[in-house]
C-alpha cells in the first residue's frame, strides 16, 4: 500500500435469507465505515459489498434499495445458492479489483463491528492478514462449545493449521487476495487455506454477540458437513488410519487363525457361532466405512477434475468513483453473466 494514500476498504457480507437483519447490519456497518473515513483511517471510496447467495426472501430487493439510498452500499446477486464459502469468494473476487483490502463478516452481526477499526490499524501497521478471534464461547450452548473444541483438536491431529476460535471474520490485503487466487481447488476450505498464505498476520480479539435477528444458517447437519469437508479437503490421515487398522486386523486374524488350528489339532472344539458372526459384522462394517471414506476422496477428485466454476453472478450493483478493472479470467474461475449491471 502507498503510505501516502488512504486504503480503499471493502466489507464483504455474504447474505442468505437475511431480510430480517439486513437493514440493521447495513446501518451498523455504514456507521463504522463513516467513522473511520472521518478519522482518515480509510479512503472515502470504501464501501460495503453485500453478496446475495441465492436468497429466497426479499434480501436482494433490500440490497437494491440500499444501493439507491446508501452511497457506500454495493451488491451482487449469485445465480443460485453456492454456499457460504463460495459467496465469500464471489465477493472477494469482485472487490479485489478496486480495493486495497477487504474484510469479510457475516450478516448476523454476531461479530463485533467495532473490531473493524482494529483490523485497519493492524493492516496499516504492515500486516496482510488479520484474524478476528472470539475471546470466549459463553453465548454458545454446552453442546456447541464442546463440539467446536473437539473440531479444532481433531483438525490439529489431522495436520490442518487452523486459528483457534476464528471463523470467517478477517482482513485480507490485496496482495493476500491475489495469492489466495492461486488456490484453485473446488473443495475450498477457506479457514484452512488462509493460514497457508504465509504473509504477515495479526490477531484481533473480540466478544461475540447474540444474533441480531433471524435464525442461524448453520444447523448441526451443516456444521458436521462443514467439519467433514474441512478434514477430507486437507488431510489423508483418515485413509491412513484405515490402512493401519486393516493391517492390525490382519495381524490379529493371523494370530487367531493359528490359535484356532492349534486348538483343532489338540482336539478341542468350542462352539463359536456368536463370536464369528459378531466379528464378521464388525469387520464388514469397518470395510464398508473404509469404502465410503475412500469414496468421499474419489468424489472430491471427481469434482476437482471437472473444473466447474464455483459460482455464477446473475447481476451486480457496483458504484465506484474509480472505475474498477474488468475482472479477467480470474484464477478463482468466476463466471460473470451478461446481465450484470454497473451503476
Amino acid at each position: 500500500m502507498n503510505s501516502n494514500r488512504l486504503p480503499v476498504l471493502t466489507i464483504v457480507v455474504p447474505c442468505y435469507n437475511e431480510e430480517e437483519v439486513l437493514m440493521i447490519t447495513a446501518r451498523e456497518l455504514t456507521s463504522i465505515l463513516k467513522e473511520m473515513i472521518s478519522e482518515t483511517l480509510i479512503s472515502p471510496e470504501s464501501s460495503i459489498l453485500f453478496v446475495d447467495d441465492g436468497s429466497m426472501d426479499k434480501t436482494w430487493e433490500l440490497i437494491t434499495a440500499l444501493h439507491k439510498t446508501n452511497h457506500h452500499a454495493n451488491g451482487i446477486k449469485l445465480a443460485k445458492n453456492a454456499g457460504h464459502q463460495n459467496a465469500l469468494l464471489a465477493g472477494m473476487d469482485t472487490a479485489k479489483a478496486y480495493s486495497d483490502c477487504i474484510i469479510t463478516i457475516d450478516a448476523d452481526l454476531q461479530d463485533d463491528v467495532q473490531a473493524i477499526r482494529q483490523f485497519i490499524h493492524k493492516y496499516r501497521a504492515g500486516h496482510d492478514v488479520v484474524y478476528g478471534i472470539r475471546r470466549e464461547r459463553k453465548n454458545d450452548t454446552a453442546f456447541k462449545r464442546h463440539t467446536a473444541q473437539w473440531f479444532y483438536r481433531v483438525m490439529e491431529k489431522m495436520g490442518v493449521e487452523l486459528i483457534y476460535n476464528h471463523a470467517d471474520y478477517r482482513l485480507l490485503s490485496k496482495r493476500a487476495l491475489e495469492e489466495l487466487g492461486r488456490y484453485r481447488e473446488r473443495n475450498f476450505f477457506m479457514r484452512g487455506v488462509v493460514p497457508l498464505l504465509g504473509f504477515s498476520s495479526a490477531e484481533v480479539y473480540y466478544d461475540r454477540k447474540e444474533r441480531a435477528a433471524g435464525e442461524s444458517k448453520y444447523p448441526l447437519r451443516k456444521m458436521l458437513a462443514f467439519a467433514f469437508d474441512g478434514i477430507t479437503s486437507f488431510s489423508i490421515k483418515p485413509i491412513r488410519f484405515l490402512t493401519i487398522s486393516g493391517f492390525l486386523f490382519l495381524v490379529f486374524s493371523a494370530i487367531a487363525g493359528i490359535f484356532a488350528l492349534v486348538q483343532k489339532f489338540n482336539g478341542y472344539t468350542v462352539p463359536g457361532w456368536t463370536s464369528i458372526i459378531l466379528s464378521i459384522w464388525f469387520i464388514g462394517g469397518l470395510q464398508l466405512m473404509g469404502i465410503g471414506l475412500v469414496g468421499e476422496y474419489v468424489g472430491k477428485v471427481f469434482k476437482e477434475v471437472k473444473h466447474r466454476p464455483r459460482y455464477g453472478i446473475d447481476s451486480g450493483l457496483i458504484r465506484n468513483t474509480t472505475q474498477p478493472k474488468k475482472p479477467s479470467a480470474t484464477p478463482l474461475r468466476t463466471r460473470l453473466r451478461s446481465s450484470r449491471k454497473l451503476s
Side-chain angles (χ1 to χ4, degrees):
M1 182 190 77
N2 186 344
S3 59
N4 298 322
R5 183 173 66 84
L6 295 176
V8 177
L9 166 68
T10 299
I11 303 174
V12 176
V13 187
C15 307
Y16 179 66
N17 294 340
E18 300 287 4
E19 65 176 355
E20 295 180 38
V21 74
L22 188 65
M23 301 307 288
I24 304 173
T25 302
R27 184 172 64 248
E28 293 283 336
L29 292 177
T30 301
S31 176
I32 188 66
L33 209 62
K34 288 181 177 179
E35 288 176 13
M36 291 191 297
I37 291 172
S38 66
E39 295 166 9
T40 63
L41 285 176
I42 58 175
S43 167
E45 297 169 9
S46 301
S47 60
I48 308 164
L49 179 62
F50 295 99
V51 182
D52 181 11
D53 186 21
S55 298
M56 295 177 287
D57 60 3
K58 296 181 180 179
T59 297
W60 181 244
E61 287 82 350
L62 293 175
I63 293 173
T64 303
L66 279 169
H67 179 72
K68 293 177 181 178
T69 58
N70 185 338
H71 177 74
H72 297 287
N74 295 322
I76 57 174
K77 177 179 174 61
L78 302 191
K80 66 174 185 177
N81 179 251
H84 182 266
Q85 298 289 286
N86 288 328
L88 281 176
L89 284 171
M92 292 158 62
D93 289 345
T94 302
K96 73 179 179 182
Y98 54 84
S99 307
D100 294 309
C101 59
I102 63 99
I103 290 175
T104 57
I105 185 172
D106 289 339
D108 56 18
L109 286 186
Q110 288 188 278
D111 297 319
D112 184 9
V113 299
Q114 294 301 319
I116 291 176
R117 183 180 283 102
Q118 299 178 56
F119 280 50
I120 294 301
H121 282 301
K122 298 287 187 182
Y123 167 74
R124 296 190 62 166
H127 299 290
D128 288 288
V129 181
V130 183
Y131 300 104
I133 300 178
R134 300 169 60 167
R135 283 196 181 93
E136 53 188 353
R137 289 181 169 268
K138 62 182 179 180
N139 292 329
D140 290 348
T141 63
F143 175 78
K144 187 172 182 179
R145 184 164 54 249
H146 287 100
T147 52
Q149 292 171 350
W150 174 84
F151 169 71
Y152 283 108
R153 282 198 292 265
V154 169
M155 294 297 278
E156 183 180 3
K157 295 293 184 183
M158 294 293 174
V160 184
E161 182 183 354
L162 291 182
I163 306 300
Y164 186 71
N165 273 347
H166 164 69
D168 289 301
Y169 191 22
R170 68 175 70 87
L171 176 146
L172 293 173
S173 69
K174 192 180 188 73
R175 185 167 72 135
L177 286 169
E178 294 292 343
E179 182 65 20
L180 187 67
R182 298 179 59 200
Y183 291 78
R184 306 185 181 189
E185 58 259 40
R186 179 69 173 77
N187 302 287
F188 199 79
F189 185 61
M190 196 177 302
R191 296 185 197 183
V193 170
V194 172
L196 297 178
L197 299 181
F199 293 123
S200 174
S201 64
E203 299 173 349
V204 170
Y205 291 86
Y206 67 94
D207 293 317
R208 192 167 169 86
K209 305 175 183 178
E210 295 285 351
R211 185 179 172 90
E215 297 179 353
S216 172
K217 304 304 184 295
Y218 262 91
L220 178 61
R221 177 180 57 84
K222 283 192 175 182
M223 288 173 60
L224 291 175
F226 180 74
F228 189 73
D229 278 343
I231 292 171
T232 55
S233 295
F234 266 80
S235 176
I236 62 168
K237 285 190 177 181
I239 288 184
R240 191 167 295 161
F241 171 76
L242 285 177
T243 303
I244 295 171
S245 299
F247 175 76
L248 293 176
F249 273 109
L250 179 64
V251 173
F252 176 77
S253 299
I255 294 172
I258 293 171
F259 176 77
L261 288 173
V262 170
Q263 292 290 85
K264 183 176 179 63
F265 289 136
N266 289 336
Y268 297 106
T269 57
V270 179
W273 184 86
T274 302
S275 60
I276 291 175
I277 291 298
L278 289 177
S279 62
I280 289 174
W281 283 355
F282 179 74
I283 296 173
L286 185 67
Q287 288 175 330
L288 288 174
M289 185 181 72
I291 292 171
L293 185 58
V294 172
E296 286 287 337
Y297 280 95
V298 172
K300 288 185 180 294
V301 173
F302 175 67
K303 288 181 180 180
E304 294 288 349
V305 298
K306 288 188 291 188
H307 300 298
R308 289 180 179 174
R310 294 191 181 104
Y311 58 84
I313 297 181
D314 183 27
S315 56
L317 301 165
I318 309 294
R319 179 195 295 111
N320 277 301
T321 53
T322 57
Q323 195 65 19
K325 297 176 184 175
K326 201 170 186 179
S328 56
T330 101
L332 289 175
R333 300 182 180 277
T334 63
R335 178 172 293 175
L336 301 180
R337 298 254 180 117
S338 58
S339 58
R340 182 181 181 187
K341 298 176 264 182
L342 296 177
S343 62

